[in-house]
Amino acid sequence: LLEWYDRYRRILPWRAMKGEMPDPYRVWLSEIMLQQTTVGAVGPYFRRFVNRWPTVAHLARARRGEILKMWAGLGYYRRAHLLHDCAKKIMCDYGGEFPRDEESLRALPGFGPYTAAALAAIAFDKRASAVDGNAERVMARLHAVRVPLPQAKPRLRMLAESMLPDARFGDYAQALMDLGATICTPRHPKCDLCPWMKDCCAHALGIAGNLPRRLKAKAKPVRRAIAFVALNGKGEVLLRRRPKDGLLGGMMEVPSSAWREDPMPTLAKAAKEAPGKARWRLVPGHVRHVFSHFELEMAVAAGHLAGADCGVWRPAKKLGGEALPSVMRKILRHAAAAGIIKLPFP
């Protein structure tokens, strides 16, 4: 596997080149961003972050609101809060240097078992088993583990740890990631190109494409609400900040009625939760967005307000610089498509 990695390793913006020492800050930043997010999506965000905040010291001094703006669109926004909390703790408690052992790393904000193992192995070449989704898939196929996920996780972690080499722990961790991402893919694995093909039990049995097995996911509940795109006489749009704790914590939002698992509310009923009294009118169509645990269906109402008791007014042409999560950008795009506002982003 290491010979294969030396030849075919991916070139990634956060990965040290062969012969270079890894930068713990870049390894950590990438691992936090990559949680439940694809490499393709993370790349542009990572580059913008390191250009703006090239070291953990720069990130610790940043304002939380600026970090949220830079994170907008990447999803799972609690990660951004924990990222900032961790940077400040590194500066205050560790003099700007990341601890090198898994136990100390696991005590940092935003670190779980995988992130601690990944940073220990990749950044400091410590003997640590970093088992992400790619590694789980490789282990399930290599050993033909038929127990479905998530029940199989403890066994897959044990198998992965049993296969650690005697050296090059960081390269091994990244090799497993690359093997899962490019060869042992979720669908249609490229077994003929795999350095472990001759040793793979699932390949020998002809079931590689069927592993790992997963329990059938439950249908996600659907929540519904009406979003209120409010304009004032200056053509500014009303936004408000969500509570720090909870879904989309600390991000800016278009005001809306509560997100409930009920039929879509009538405009008259939802208007009781509007940011002010106006002649609200519904925009044709709905906005849909999928979160990890539920789906959201939103109707959009537009209206003019002389003032509002909550939130802040922002010029429509400057909305691109706000910490707006993807679902809020969808709502604003829906209003823009109906000619309600003009947006600075597509």
Side-chain angles (χ1 to χ4, degrees):
L1 179 65
L2 289 170
E3 289 175 358
W4 173 85
Y5 179 70
D6 287 340
R7 186 173 181 180
Y8 297 109
R9 59 188 286 162
R10 289 180 294 175
I11 304 300
L12 300 172
W14 47 83
R15 180 175 286 177
M17 300 298 289
K18 190 173 182 178
E20 292 181 348
M21 292 294 293
D23 181 349
Y25 172 68
R26 295 171 75 93
V27 175
W28 164 67
L29 181 60
S30 68
E31 288 296 337
I32 299 301
M33 287 185 166
L34 286 165
Q35 292 171 5
Q36 303 189 56
T37 310
T38 65
V39 167
V42 165
Y45 284 89
F46 178 84
R47 293 185 182 92
R48 289 196 290 268
F49 259 75
V50 294
N51 286 338
R52 180 75 173 274
W53 302 296
T55 68
V56 68
H58 289 92
L59 187 62
R61 292 195 297 267
R63 290 182 296 177
R64 181 69 57 97
E66 292 301 311
I67 293 175
L68 291 174
K69 286 182 182 180
M70 193 74 77
W71 195 277
L74 195 55
Y76 298 96
Y77 295 96
R78 186 167 181 268
R79 294 180 296 172
H81 292 280
L82 292 172
L83 192 79
H84 196 208
D85 292 341
C86 183
K88 291 190 290 185
K89 188 173 182 64
I90 292 294
M91 295 306 300
C92 292
D93 295 357
Y94 295 94
E97 300 288 335
F98 283 85
R100 293 171 173 256
D101 61 285
E102 280 189 77
E103 184 177 356
S104 298
L105 287 168
R106 287 188 65 170
L108 294 173
F111 274 76
Y114 165 75
T115 307
L119 192 61
I122 298 170
F124 305 116
D125 205 31
K126 298 290 185 179
R127 190 181 190 279
S129 181
V131 183
D132 66 349
N134 285 318
E136 286 180 343
R137 184 167 59 257
V138 171
M139 290 298 138
R141 290 172 175 170
L142 184 64
H143 299 278
V145 176
R146 304 179 193 233
V147 177
L149 291 170
Q151 287 89 334
K153 283 180 177 287
R155 185 179 177 189
L156 297 177
R157 285 196 295 267
M158 180 186 67
L159 290 168
E161 187 167 1
S162 72
M163 296 185 65
L164 285 173
D166 295 327
R168 296 185 66 186
F169 304 113
D171 285 346
Y172 179 73
Q174 293 174 103
L176 267 183
M177 295 174 191
D178 281 11
L179 187 68
T182 64
I183 302 295
C184 197
T185 52
R187 297 180 181 178
H188 311 298
K190 305 175 184 68
C191 296
D192 291 345
L193 302 177
C194 180
W196 280 351
M197 180 185 71
K198 293 180 180 179
D199 301 299
C200 181
C201 295
H203 175 71
L205 294 169
I207 60 172
N210 299 326
L211 296 178
R213 292 178 174 171
R214 297 179 182 274
L215 294 177
K216 187 176 181 180
K218 296 181 180 178
K220 293 183 179 181
V222 179
R223 300 180 187 178
R224 299 175 178 86
I226 294 181
F228 296 95
V229 177
L231 302 173
N232 63 13
K234 300 178 182 178
E236 296 173 322
V237 180
L238 182 67
L239 301 177
R240 66 185 181 192
R241 190 173 298 280
R242 291 182 64 84
K244 177 183 176 182
D245 297 323
L247 187 67
L248 307 179
M251 303 297 286
M252 301 301 287
E253 71 170 354
V254 177
S256 72
S257 60
W259 302 356
R260 299 183 178 94
E261 292 180 29
D262 295 323
M264 183 67 71
T266 64
L267 181 56
K269 182 177 180 180
K272 298 175 182 178
E273 301 176 75
K277 292 184 178 181
R279 295 180 62 182
W280 300 108
R281 63 182 182 89
L282 287 173
V283 177
H286 288 165
V287 172
R288 292 176 175 83
H289 190 79
V290 178
F291 291 96
S292 58
H293 300 300
F294 69 94
E295 296 182 14
L296 180 64
E297 183 178 358
M298 301 276 278
V300 178
H304 286 81
L305 290 177
D309 296 330
C310 65
V312 293
W313 294 100
R314 291 287 186 263
K317 64 182 180 181
K318 294 185 178 180
L319 290 177
E322 294 294 329
L324 289 164
S326 296
V327 62
M328 299 303 156
R329 289 176 180 254
K330 286 183 181 180
I331 291 168
L332 292 169
R333 289 189 188 102
H334 191 71
I340 307 299
I341 54 175
K342 291 185 179 181
L343 296 176
F345 50 84

